[in-house]
């Protein structure tokens, strides 16, 4: 491979090259001076004609650039050559071995090996370092083949594992000695390959000797860890550049294998003795990792690696101690025991910054794992009470756990879940002191404490009433004014979530439902009044008031449509409160919640049309009262829509089938509003002011008239359309004129259609074409006059509004 010399040797080489360049430059300058002198002496003589050289092809584009560098080509060739020679040696050893006798075979292979191992010395003296590296690699491969040949010829009866252990030991020692011998030669630095190769082979002897002497899983794991320790020492103490990264990789690979094996042994132990032995191995791994982290450099990438190594060592210690506790304590206390070990890590972190950071990281990982193990219990506590929506007021359950597991499964060994949450919360609140992370830690501690309190009644199987009481006290505690900023917002959200769980849990008993809903309404109302997250608290108070109204109606035995009238108290309250509030955000949330309560009332009354009409009218009154405020004028349209909808529902309840009964209540207010609009804005178009109101009545009535066999509706509709046409012509309003005239024309055509059909049947077949022809002739004769009349009519209509 390409050789990179040490700085001192490279400096000597550069100095020699510069001296040669200076000598060459001096020679060229002397030659140049001589040539100038010759030319000056030959100046009077006419210069000879310059020689004519043949034209060379000119390349317009840039010269082609090589795709591979010279060192790269060299390395590839040397690597391929070494690989091919190694393969040839393997084929000779394994396939062609039997053609020679035992003496010949030994002499040939030994001679070839010695020749190949000695070749790098001559190559180094000639400066062919890359070639020497390739040949040395081939020689090391041949020693492996020599070991295999000895096993097949001399040590045929030896145990395979024992021979492999001895061979790997001998090869590691031989390769290390070979590299040291080459390094002792006078001249440039040693080859880079032998020592790393010896270190790689050195990973096997201790492991193989352990297996050869009948060592079990514990002994094999210990051998792996000891080998990793030696690799770590080599990585920390050796300064040679090729050897140090190889030692680090070997340490991580072998050590990771040992840690994995020890962890599996610890977690699979069935008794304290086996767990203690496996824990001892994990503690050995922890000691090795922490020692490496303490001795590692403390800058750059090495600092990050030291942090990761320290975290790994700390985790090994926790797994070891926790594995012993796992088989020594009851199942409910296994996770708290592991958590205690993790918390102890955070208190025992000492040493350099990287080590302390790694131990703290390991402690955080253990605590996060304990919290994740506890999450299913919280999920059951949060979602389980929703099952009471399917069978409310069916009877109070036996305890708090039965209240959340009606349709759910309680996780095993979850009795100590509250302790886990509280312990982690205390650690966050006490140990995190950084000003940047302190608010986040307090928010997380609050959330964990809330989870612990919420799950306590369920985990401990407290009585049903005690569970409701504890959750009920949690809501005002979360709304305390002592909380500020992001913590206060988080606490408010948790309070709302707790109230939902509490309300669902209370559905098991009627008295509990009424009490809980009333208490939640009061608690959130007081919180909003005192300014504790007023937008959320006010909306929650109105929402629980709506639920309380529905529950009171159900408890009194009222039908849902009757209870809708009681629910309307909430929108009325919301409208009155919104008019007195100064905070715009709180006002919007109160109004939105009131609108939601109104929708609930409408949904409850939908099965009784007369009562639905009354509810819609009352909602219209509430919205109209809100529209009186200057900033809510647009709600007037919603109020009108509610009144119209109430009238339609009432008419449908009376079985009224006349479309005018439904459209006239819309047309009259619309025309009144249009008249007010025209008075305030004379430039407003008649289509905007009167068009919608007239179309609401005229179009449905026209459709009904075309299908009505009687004469009364067409007569009244035609009279109304005629009146509209005259009014539009009198006041020069385009919308009444066009709509009235169009409806009058269509009604007239509908009424005269039977007579036109009779006249058409009475006339001969040639009369209609003849009349059409006469009409076309007349139109053609007076085309210009007609165009002028059409333009005059268009101008008249254009001057109208």
């Amino acid at each position: 491979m390409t050789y990179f010399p040490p700085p001192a040797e490279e400096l000597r080489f550069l100095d020699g090259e510069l001296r040669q360049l200076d000598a060459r430059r001096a020679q060229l300058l002397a030659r140049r001076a001589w040539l100038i002198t010759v030319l000056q002496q030959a100046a009077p003589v006419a210069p000879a004609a310059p020689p004519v050289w043949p034209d060379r092809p000119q390349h317009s584009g840039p010269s082609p650039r090589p795709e591979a560098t010279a060192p790269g080509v060299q390395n590839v060739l040397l690597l391929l050559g070494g690989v091919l020679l190694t393969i040839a040696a393997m084929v000779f050893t394994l396939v062609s071995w039997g053609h020679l006798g035992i003496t010949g075979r030994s002499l040939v292979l030994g001679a070839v090996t010695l020749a190949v191992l000695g070749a790098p010395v001559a190559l180094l003296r000639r400066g062919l370092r890359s070639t020497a590296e390739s040949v040395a690699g081939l020689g090391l491969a041949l020693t492996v083949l020599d070991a295999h040949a000895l096993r097949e010829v001399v040590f045929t009866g030896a145990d395979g594992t024992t021979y492999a252990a001895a061979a790997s030991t001998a090869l590691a020692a031989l390769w290390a000695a070979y590299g040291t011998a080459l390094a002792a030669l006078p001249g440039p630095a040693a080859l880079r390959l032998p020592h790393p190769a010896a270190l790689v082979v050195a990973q096997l002897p201790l492991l193989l000797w352990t297996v050869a002497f009948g060592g079990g899983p514990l002994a094999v794991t210990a051998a792996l860890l000891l080998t990793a320790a030696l690799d770590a020492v080599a990585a920390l103490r050796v300064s040679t550049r090729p050897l140090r990264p190889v030692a680090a990789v070997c340490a991580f690979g072998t050590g990771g294998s040992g840690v994995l094996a020890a962890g599996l042994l610890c977690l699979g132990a069935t008794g304290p003795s086996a767990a203690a032995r496996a824990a001892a191995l994990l503690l050995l791994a922890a000691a090795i990792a922490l020692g490496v982290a303490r001795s590692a450099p403390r800058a750059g990438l090495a600092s990050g690696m030291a942090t990761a190594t320290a975290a790994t060592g700390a985790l090994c210690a926790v797994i070891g101690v926790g594995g012993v506790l796992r088989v020594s304590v009851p199942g409910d206390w296994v996770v708290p025991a592991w958590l205690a070990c993790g918390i102890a890590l955070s208190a025992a972190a000492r040493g350099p910054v990287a080590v302390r950071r790694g131990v703290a990281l390991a402690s955080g990982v253990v605590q996060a794992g304990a919290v994740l193990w506890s999450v299913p219990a919280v999920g059951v506590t949060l979602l389980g009470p929703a099952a009471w929506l399917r069978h409310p007021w069916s009877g109070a359950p036996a305890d708090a756990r039965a209240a959340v597991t009606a349709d759910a499964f309680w996780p095993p060994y979850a009795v100590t879940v509250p302790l886990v949450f509280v312990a982690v919360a205390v650690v966050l609140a006490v140990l995190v002191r950084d000003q940047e992370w302190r608010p986040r830690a307090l928010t997380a501690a609050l959330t964990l404490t809330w989870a612990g309190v919420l799950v306590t009644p369920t985990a401990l199987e407290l009585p049903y009433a005690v569970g409701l009481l504890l959750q009920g006290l949690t809501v005002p505690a979360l709304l305390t004014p002592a909380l500020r900023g992001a913590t206060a917002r988080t606490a408010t959200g948790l309070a709302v979530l707790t109230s939902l769980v509490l309300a669902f849990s209370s559905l098991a008993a009627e008295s509990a439902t009424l009490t809980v809903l009333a208490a939640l309404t009061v608690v959130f109302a007081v919180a909003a009044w005192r300014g504790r997250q007023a937008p959320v608290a006010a909306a929650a108070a109105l929402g629980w008031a709506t639920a309380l109204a529905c529950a009171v109606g159900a408890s009194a035995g009222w039908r849902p449509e009757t209870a809708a009238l009681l629910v309307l108290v909430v929108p009325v309250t919301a409208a009155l409160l919104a008019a007195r509030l100064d905070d715009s955000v709180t006002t919007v949330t109160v109004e939105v919640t009131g609108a939601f309560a109104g929708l609930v009332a409408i949904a409850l009354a939908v099965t009784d049309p007369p009562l639905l009409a009354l509810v819609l009218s009352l909602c219209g009154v509430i919205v109209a009262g809100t529209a009186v405020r200057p900033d809510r004028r647009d709600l007037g349209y919603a109020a009108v829509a509610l009144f119209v909808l109430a009238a339609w529902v009432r008419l449908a309840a009376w079985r009224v089938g006349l479309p005018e009964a439904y459209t006239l209540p819309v047309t009259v207010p619309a025309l009144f509003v249009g008249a007010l609009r025209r008075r305030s804005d004379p430039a407003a178009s008649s289509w905007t002011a009167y068009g919608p109101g007239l179309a609401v009545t005229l179009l449905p009535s026209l459709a009904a008239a075309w299908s009505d066999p009687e004469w009364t509706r067409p007569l009244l509709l035609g009279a109304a359309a005629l009146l509209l046409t005259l009014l539009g012509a009198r006041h020069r309003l385009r919308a009444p004129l066009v709509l009235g005239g169009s409806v009058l024309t269509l009604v007239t055509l509908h009424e005269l259609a039977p007579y036109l059909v009779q006249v058409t049947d009475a006339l001969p077949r040639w009369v209609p074409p003849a009349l059409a022809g006469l009409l076309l002739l007349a139109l053609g004769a007076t085309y210009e006059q007609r165009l002028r009349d059409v333009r005059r009519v268009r101008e008249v209509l254009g001057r109208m509004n």
Side-chain angles (χ1 to χ4, degrees):
M1 309 301 290
T2 301
Y3 171 70
F4 296 95
E9 181 184 353
E10 186 176 2
L11 181 59
R12 290 194 300 270
F13 175 75
L14 292 178
D15 290 340
E17 291 291 334
L18 289 174
R19 285 193 297 270
Q20 293 179 4
L21 289 175
D22 291 339
R24 180 60 176 168
R25 186 173 184 273
Q27 181 183 0
L28 293 176
L29 288 175
R31 180 65 177 175
R32 180 177 182 274
W34 180 81
L35 291 173
I36 291 175
T37 304
V38 171
L39 291 174
Q40 289 176 352
Q41 293 176 356
V45 182
V52 179
W53 300 95
D55 295 335
R56 295 182 180 180
Q58 300 294 327
H59 299 281
S60 59
S63 59
R65 188 175 182 180
E67 297 182 356
T69 62
V73 174
Q74 168 192 314
N75 293 337
V76 171
L77 293 178
L78 292 175
L79 180 62
L80 289 177
V83 170
L84 292 177
L85 288 175
T86 304
I87 294 175
M90 292 176 60
V91 172
F92 171 76
T93 304
L94 301 176
V95 177
S96 301
W97 190 256
H99 298 292
L100 299 176
I102 184 170
T103 304
R105 288 180 288 184
S106 302
L107 292 176
V108 170
L109 190 56
V112 171
T113 302
L114 291 176
V116 172
L117 290 176
V121 177
L123 293 174
L124 288 175
R125 289 175 179 175
R126 292 179 177 272
L128 303 176
R129 187 168 302 276
S130 299
T131 306
E133 291 279 1
S134 180
V135 174
L138 175 60
L140 298 181
L142 288 176
T143 57
V144 178
L145 296 177
D146 289 336
H148 173 71
L150 290 175
R151 171 72 172 85
E152 294 295 330
V153 175
V154 179
F155 303 102
T156 55
D159 178 65
T161 306
T162 304
Y163 183 80
S168 60
T169 305
L171 287 175
L174 176 63
W175 292 359
Y178 178 66
T180 305
L182 290 179
L185 294 176
L191 296 180
R192 294 175 297 171
L193 183 60
H195 284 144
L199 182 62
V200 172
V201 175
Q203 308 302 306
L204 300 176
L206 189 56
L207 175 64
L208 293 177
W209 281 118
T210 304
V211 175
F213 284 107
L218 292 173
V220 171
T221 305
L224 289 173
L225 294 176
L226 291 176
T227 304
L230 296 175
D231 294 334
V233 172
L236 293 173
R237 300 302 180 187
V238 177
S239 59
T240 307
R241 186 174 58 180
L243 186 58
R244 189 166 189 173
V246 174
V249 172
C250 292
F252 281 110
T254 309
S257 303
V259 168
L260 179 60
L264 294 176
L265 290 174
C266 185
L267 296 178
T270 57
S273 178
R277 290 192 295 269
L281 294 176
L282 286 172
L283 292 177
L284 174 62
I288 295 172
L290 292 175
V292 171
R294 288 177 178 274
S295 304
R298 303 175 186 177
L301 181 62
S303 178
M305 297 299 294
T307 301
T309 305
T312 304
L315 287 176
C316 290
V318 172
I319 295 174
V321 177
V324 175
L325 295 176
R326 180 182 64 86
V327 296
S328 304
V329 299
D332 292 328
W333 291 94
V334 172
V335 174
W338 286 56
L339 178 61
C341 297
I343 295 174
L345 280 180
S346 59
R350 297 292 186 272
V353 176
V355 175
R356 295 199 303 270
R357 189 184 299 118
V359 174
L361 178 62
S363 176
V365 170
V366 174
Q367 295 178 56
V371 171
L372 289 177
W373 172 81
S374 305
V375 165
V378 180
V380 173
T381 304
L382 289 175
L383 303 178
W388 292 105
L389 288 172
R390 295 189 297 177
H391 39 80
W393 297 354
S394 58
D399 51 47
R401 183 177 296 184
V404 303
T405 56
D407 291 338
F409 173 73
W410 183 250
Y413 306 118
V415 175
T416 55
V417 166
L419 178 61
V420 171
F421 284 120
V422 174
V424 178
V426 171
V427 171
L428 289 174
V430 173
L431 296 184
V432 180
R433 294 297 181 182
D434 185 74
Q435 295 298 325
E436 181 181 358
W437 291 93
R438 179 70 176 172
R440 304 175 187 176
L442 291 178
T443 302
L446 174 65
T447 305
L448 293 173
T449 304
W450 163 81
V453 174
L454 183 70
V455 80
T456 296
T458 310
L460 301 181
E461 296 184 274
L462 298 179
Y464 174 68
V466 175
L468 294 181
L469 179 61
L470 186 59
Q471 293 178 353
L473 294 176
T474 304
V475 176
L478 290 170
L479 297 174
T480 177
L483 301 176
R484 293 289 184 271
T487 305
R489 292 190 293 270
T490 303
T492 304
L494 295 177
V496 174
L497 185 58
T498 306
S499 65
L500 288 171
V501 177
L502 180 60
F504 287 146
S505 299
S506 67
L507 290 176
E510 178 180 352
S511 58
T513 302
L514 297 175
T515 304
V516 166
L517 293 179
L520 290 176
T521 303
V522 173
V523 167
F524 281 103
V526 171
W529 177 60
R530 292 186 177 181
R532 305 178 206 165
Q533 300 294 320
V536 178
L542 293 175
W544 291 125
T546 303
L548 178 61
C550 297
V552 169
S555 178
W558 296 349
R559 299 176 59 189
E561 53 270 20
T562 306
L565 298 175
L566 182 60
V567 174
L568 287 179
V569 176
V570 178
V572 173
T573 305
L576 296 176
L577 288 175
R580 300 174 62 86
L581 294 174
D582 298 330
D583 185 12
S584 59
V585 178
T586 306
T587 302
V588 171
T589 57
V590 167
E591 290 176 344
V592 170
T593 310
F596 174 76
L599 292 176
V600 171
I602 293 173
L604 291 174
V606 74
T607 57
D608 189 348
L611 197 56
L612 177 61
L614 176 60
V615 171
L616 290 172
S617 301
L618 294 177
C619 291
V621 171
I622 297 171
V623 176
T626 304
V628 174
R629 292 160 48 193
D631 57 338
R632 293 293 187 268
R633 296 294 189 188
D634 294 339
L635 291 179
Y637 298 104
V640 172
L642 288 172
F643 285 130
V644 171
L645 189 59
W648 286 356
V649 172
R650 183 72 264 182
L651 292 173
W654 287 337
R655 301 182 182 278
V656 175
L658 297 176
E660 292 78 9
Y662 295 90
T663 57
L664 287 176
V666 180
T667 298
V668 174
L671 294 178
F672 178 72
V673 173
L676 294 179
R677 172 72 181 278
R678 290 274 298 172
R679 179 174 295 182
S680 61
D681 184 12
S685 173
S686 62
W687 286 107
T688 305
Y690 304 118
L694 294 175
V696 167
T697 295
L698 291 177
L699 297 181
S701 299
L702 179 62
W706 274 64
S707 60
D708 191 354
E710 302 295 332
W711 58 271
T712 307
R713 186 189 301 276
L715 179 61
L716 294 177
L717 181 60
L722 178 61
L723 179 60
L724 281 177
T725 304
L726 296 177
L727 288 174
R730 171 70 179 80
H731 297 284
R732 296 185 177 182
L733 298 176
R734 186 180 300 175
L737 180 62
V738 174
L739 289 176
S742 301
V743 173
L744 179 61
T745 302
L746 293 175
V747 170
T748 302
L749 289 177
H750 175 265
E751 294 301 317
L752 295 179
Y755 302 103
L756 293 177
V757 172
Q758 293 178 5
V759 171
T760 303
D761 292 339
L763 292 176
R765 295 296 179 89
W766 57 268
V767 173
L771 292 176
L774 291 175
L775 179 61
L776 291 176
L777 289 176
L779 289 175
T782 60
Y783 183 73
E784 184 178 1
Q785 180 66 31
R786 301 304 177 192
L787 289 178
R788 188 162 51 249
D789 294 341
V790 170
R791 282 194 295 269
R792 187 180 296 111
V793 172
R794 186 176 60 188
E795 292 174 357
V796 171
L797 290 175
R799 289 193 296 270
M800 295 182 180
N801 290 324

